[in-house]
Amino acid sequence: MTTLPGPEPARPRATMRDVAALAGVSLKTVSRVVNGEPGVSTDLVERVERAAVQLDFRPNLGARSLRRSDGRTATVGLVLENLANPFSAALLRAVEDVATTRGVAVLAGSIDRADERERQLVAAFASRRVDGLVVMPTAADQSYLMLERRAGMSLVFVDRPPHGLAADTVVASNTAGAREGTEHLIAAGHRAIAFLSDVSGISTGQDRRQGFVDAMAAAGRSYRREHLVTGLTTMAEAEAATAALLGSEHPPTALFTAQNLVTIGAVRALRAAGLQHQVALVGFDDVLLADLLEPGITVVAQDPTSIGHLAAQRLFARIDGDTSPYVLEVVATRLVPRGSGEIAPSQSV
Amino acid sequence: MTTLPGPEPARPRATMRDVAALAGVSLKTVSRVVNGEPGVSTDLVERVERAAVQLDFRPNLGARSLRRSDGRTATVGLVLENLANPFSAALLRAVEDVATTRGVAVLAGSIDRADERERQLVAAFASRRVDGLVVMPTAADQSYLMLERRAGMSLVFVDRPPHGLAADTVVASNTAGAREGTEHLIAAGHRAIAFLSDVSGISTGQDRRQGFVDAMAAAGRSYRREHLVTGLTTMAEAEAATAALLGSEHPPTALFTAQNLVTIGAVRALRAAGLQHQVALVGFDDVLLADLLEPGITVVAQDPTSIGHLAAQRLFARIDGDTSPYVLEVVATRLVPRGSGEIAPSQSV
DNA sequence: TTGAAAGCGCTAACAA
DNA sequence: TTGTTAGCGCTTTCAA
């Protein structure tokens, strides 16, 4: 910890008034130039621009938004599960890319599975008058957002649909993807397949479980109750649950893990038991380095970048006044075989 | 893609005026209640709060900021390299956690190594009158930020110090960490160690190279010019550069990779060449799943969460009026041996 | 303890 | 083409 000199004296920000005074024009002319409105002589445009640069003028978007008839702030909010999770981070990045092309800034926040945080974040962003919100719904009910939408805030949901409210939503093909992943394990000859997922109250987990159940039923496979594990909120819990399954009286010969952290937890447990080459595994959502493990982890990959791009495009269409019916967009998942999902059932079971 | 009914009619947001009218009090009384100012009878507080809930009132923070003497927006900005990179994402999350405890929202943006993007993001956030900025400096010079700071925007830099400007900075122990990682390889018996890093214009890369060079010099080791590779901007470039090194006339027996994506690229190249058990590797910055590879990847781990927490605390201290000298805080890195860094030089070389 | 008036920086509406 | 005036929603200042 090294020290350096401290802050220098303050100098207040220049306003349009200051710029006008320096350029020798009226306030309104500055406003016209700053907003690129037509009908200002090139001479004045130049004088104003020079004055603006000289004073390091930054238009006050808060004041603009306050006065404008549409009230736009050129800011949108992102309410995601956890900004540190690779899936959320990729989503944020994708929304940012679209927003940037429109001069829109992005506020972001993490819910962390705490229902009240979702409402707190929405309230915080609403107080800042964001033009729109991209939400990964986590609370049991999103009908409270109807009021915000009526007040002019556009809404798009990602990863899973909202409850108690109709709205544009962009999701991955959860059920179909989970079905495909499960079928892949069935095709490899497995009968005892366990399903592990995160919080069950969230529809992605439910949809993926449905896909698993559908595939098992279609193949005429039954499964044990205890092979259906939900509510795994951390990687450590997933690891422990997997270890318990592997050590149980009727261990599964294959695992389907429904979320990225659950997948990693399961891999750790398999390694710890030395079973990574005996027990098959297919995970939902891809992970960096998954292809370099031995065996590589077979996954049903999502496309968070596409989901984010589509969500942002929907959002800005609404902000621009699109009043067409709400749509549910489903982004295809893709099965990526890498080894772990192609392991045949071990003879010992 | 399924369709649902479209948006319902708009209802404008309630203002303090509306709340005042409904509660039968003056505007100022509402302001007092909303801001938790003392000196309002409990009776009126209750009436105002009821009216506010009934009208779904959301205080307009833009208007508040415009009028308040301190001009605070309760919003800070984060200017990072790439929000999708795990290091940046963890940093954002850590800053968010501190900001949340203060009711402050976080704007975030990616520079993507485009120098002009850094200034664009700063300008975008300045126009939104953020109270402070956490910046991962990427452009060659940050002196332009002096004007923003004079105008009241607090600044903290992360990951590397700014150029042309003295300011609070929080960094990892880049030089010492790289030295330790290199010494680890030297201790394993390596003489021909290659260094691979990302963009050389960024001081983290330079500092880490310095650590490498120092360790080699201290051990009396020389190294070939061509074993010092910089400017690797993508994982693919890192992979190609590693492959070239491995196939060269004088292949290294060990690699020190100075950034997370460079590390992954190098691992891919080693695998492709089947040399992951022959050529040693130590990487700077940790990666998810690195411990599950075979061999596990030995890394010099950074602590982005601590860096983010410290940066946020510095920032809020400045926002709160701290005028003490600027400090440089160094967050320790930690060598995590996992296998790849403990490989002895192969006899064949 | 409560309220009235002024004005933050900007744009809408209108006038010259 | 340029400028004047009013007022967005809120807090400050001052008065009752």
Side-chain angles (χ1 to χ4, degrees):
Chain A
M1 189 158 132
T2 315
T3 67
L4 300 160
E8 54 286 276
R11 214 199 41 175
R13 283 206 186 270
T15 67
M16 280 194 179
R17 242 192 151 65
D18 304 324
V19 176
L22 181 61
V25 299
S26 79
L27 180 61
K28 180 64 214 185
T29 298
V30 176
S31 170
R32 288 196 177 99
V33 173
V34 168
N35 289 289
E37 283 172 36
V40 182
S41 67
T42 48
D43 171 43
L44 286 197
V45 169
E46 211 171 282
R47 263 160 61 195
V48 169
E49 282 176 345
R50 226 192 329 265
V53 169
Q54 195 176 326
L55 295 174
D56 193 44
F57 171 72
R58 304 269 184 220
N60 185 327
L61 261 51
R64 168 185 294 176
S65 147
L66 190 59
R67 191 60 184 84
R68 284 176 80 138
S69 45
D70 61 9
R72 293 287 156 72
T73 53
T75 304
V76 296
L78 240 70
V79 180
L80 300 178
E81 192 163 309
N82 176 3
L83 295 173
N85 183 297
F87 183 79
S88 289
L91 212 57
L92 165 59
R93 186 61 166 85
V95 172
E96 184 206 348
D97 284 342
V98 179
T100 295
T101 66
R102 306 182 42 122
V104 168
V106 180
L107 283 164
S110 304
I111 299 176
D112 260 339
R113 295 222 160 90
D115 286 14
E116 72 279 9
R117 272 293 293 156
E118 181 183 314
R119 296 191 69 145
Q120 284 168 7
L121 279 168
V122 168
F125 293 169
S127 279
R128 287 167 182 82
R129 296 294 186 269
V130 294
D131 301 330
L133 221 50
V134 174
V135 181
M136 195 179 278
T138 300
D141 180 71
Q142 278 72 43
S143 60
Y144 68 97
L145 279 165
M146 212 136 54
L147 287 168
E148 308 298 339
R149 184 163 60 190
R150 282 223 185 85
M153 196 165 78
S154 298
L155 297 174
V156 173
F157 293 87
V158 287
D159 196 48
R160 49 230 186 201
H163 294 285
L165 176 78
D168 290 323
T169 304
V170 183
V171 300
S173 55
N174 288 304
T175 311
R179 197 186 308 123
E180 188 182 5
T182 307
E183 285 165 353
H184 190 70
L185 289 168
I186 292 171
H190 293 279
R191 308 194 129 264
I193 308 175
F195 173 91
L196 295 99
S197 80
D198 57 349
V199 179
S200 57
I202 287 172
S203 75
T204 27
Q206 290 166 358
D207 292 348
R208 293 170 195 171
R209 186 175 63 190
Q210 193 59 52
F212 169 80
V213 169
D214 289 353
M216 294 294 270
R221 297 283 199 280
S222 63
Y223 53 88
R224 300 180 164 275
R225 265 233 151 176
E226 67 267 29
H227 282 185
L228 233 157
V229 185
T230 62
L232 305 169
T233 54
T234 66
M235 205 186 288
E237 279 181 35
E239 183 173 351
T242 306
L245 278 176
L246 296 173
S248 68
E249 207 180 337
H250 302 283
T253 64
L255 307 174
F256 184 83
T257 49
Q259 194 244 13
N260 57 10
L261 297 185
V262 175
T263 302
I264 297 176
V267 171
R268 287 191 197 287
L270 287 172
R271 301 249 154 180
L275 291 171
Q276 70 269 31
H277 293 287
Q278 274 74 54
V279 175
L281 172 69
V282 172
F284 202 106
D285 199 15
D286 205 357
V287 190
L288 209 62
L289 290 188
D291 57 324
L292 297 182
L293 295 186
E294 286 162 17
I297 308 177
T298 297
V299 298
V300 177
Q302 301 195 76
D303 186 352
T305 302
S306 291
I307 294 176
H309 282 152
L310 285 170
Q313 279 154 11
R314 278 283 73 219
L315 188 69
F316 287 120
R318 293 295 178 192
I319 289 173
D320 290 343
D322 177 3
T323 56
S324 58
Y326 298 126
V327 299
L328 171 68
E329 300 193 78
V330 180
V331 177
T333 51
R334 192 169 47 88
L335 182 77
V336 185
R338 290 182 180 136
S340 75
E342 293 73 49
I343 296 171
S346 77
Q347 280 83 344
S348 66
V349 180
Chain B
M1 189 158 134
T2 313
T3 68
L4 299 161
E8 54 287 276
R11 212 196 46 171
R13 283 204 186 273
T15 68
M16 280 193 178
R17 240 189 154 65
D18 303 325
V19 176
L22 182 61
V25 299
S26 80
L27 180 61
K28 178 64 218 185
T29 297
V30 176
S31 170
R32 287 197 178 98
V33 173
V34 168
N35 290 289
E37 285 172 34
V40 182
S41 65
T42 48
D43 171 44
L44 287 195
V45 169
E46 212 171 283
R47 263 161 60 196
V48 168
E49 282 175 346
R50 224 192 331 263
V53 169
Q54 194 175 328
L55 295 174
D56 193 44
F57 172 72
R58 306 270 185 218
N60 185 327
L61 261 52
R64 168 185 294 175
S65 148
L66 190 59
R67 192 60 184 82
R68 283 176 78 137
S69 45
D70 61 9
R72 291 289 157 71
T73 53
T75 304
V76 296
L78 239 71
V79 180
L80 300 178
E81 191 164 309
N82 176 4
L83 296 172
N85 185 297
F87 182 78
S88 289
L91 212 56
L92 164 60
R93 186 62 166 84
V95 172
E96 184 206 347
D97 284 342
V98 179
T100 295
T101 65
R102 305 181 43 121
V104 168
V106 180
L107 283 164
S110 304
I111 299 176
D112 261 339
R113 297 222 159 90
D115 286 14
E116 72 278 10
R117 271 295 291 157
E118 180 183 316
R119 297 191 69 144
Q120 283 168 7
L121 279 168
V122 168
F125 293 168
S127 279
R128 288 168 181 81
R129 295 296 186 270
V130 293
D131 301 330
L133 220 51
V134 174
V135 182
M136 194 179 279
T138 300
D141 181 70
Q142 277 73 41
S143 59
Y144 69 95
L145 279 166
M146 211 135 55
L147 288 167
E148 308 297 339
R149 185 163 59 190
R150 281 222 185 86
M153 195 165 79
S154 298
L155 297 174
V156 172
F157 293 88
V158 287
D159 195 48
R160 49 230 186 199
H163 294 285
L165 176 77
D168 290 323
T169 304
V170 183
V171 299
S173 56
N174 288 304
T175 309
R179 195 187 307 123
E180 188 182 4
T182 308
E183 283 165 353
H184 190 70
L185 289 169
I186 293 171
H190 294 278
R191 307 193 131 264
I193 307 175
F195 173 91
L196 296 99
S197 81
D198 56 349
V199 179
S200 56
I202 287 173
S203 75
T204 28
Q206 290 166 359
D207 291 348
R208 293 170 195 172
R209 186 174 63 190
Q210 193 60 51
F212 170 80
V213 169
D214 288 354
M216 294 295 270
R221 297 283 198 282
S222 64
Y223 53 88
R224 300 181 164 274
R225 266 234 150 172
E226 66 269 28
H227 282 185
L228 232 158
V229 184
T230 62
L232 306 170
T233 54
T234 65
M235 204 185 288
E237 279 181 37
E239 182 173 353
T242 306
L245 278 175
L246 296 174
S248 69
E249 207 179 340
H250 302 283
T253 64
L255 308 174
F256 184 83
T257 50
Q259 194 244 15
N260 56 11
L261 298 185
V262 175
T263 302
I264 297 176
V267 171
R268 288 192 196 285
L270 287 172
R271 301 251 153 178
L275 290 171
Q276 69 270 31
H277 294 286
Q278 275 74 55
V279 176
L281 171 69
V282 172
F284 202 105
D285 198 15
D286 205 356
V287 190
L288 208 61
L289 290 188
D291 57 325
L292 296 183
L293 295 184
E294 287 162 16
I297 308 177
T298 296
V299 298
V300 178
Q302 301 195 76
D303 186 352
T305 301
S306 291
I307 294 176
H309 282 152
L310 285 169
Q313 278 153 11
R314 278 283 73 220
L315 188 68
F316 287 120
R318 292 297 178 192
I319 290 173
D320 289 343
D322 177 2
T323 56
S324 59
Y326 298 125
V327 299
L328 171 67
E329 299 192 80
V330 180
V331 176
T333 52
R334 192 169 47 88
L335 182 76
V336 185
R338 291 185 180 131
S340 75
E342 294 73 48
I343 296 171
S346 77
Q347 280 83 343
S348 66
V349 180

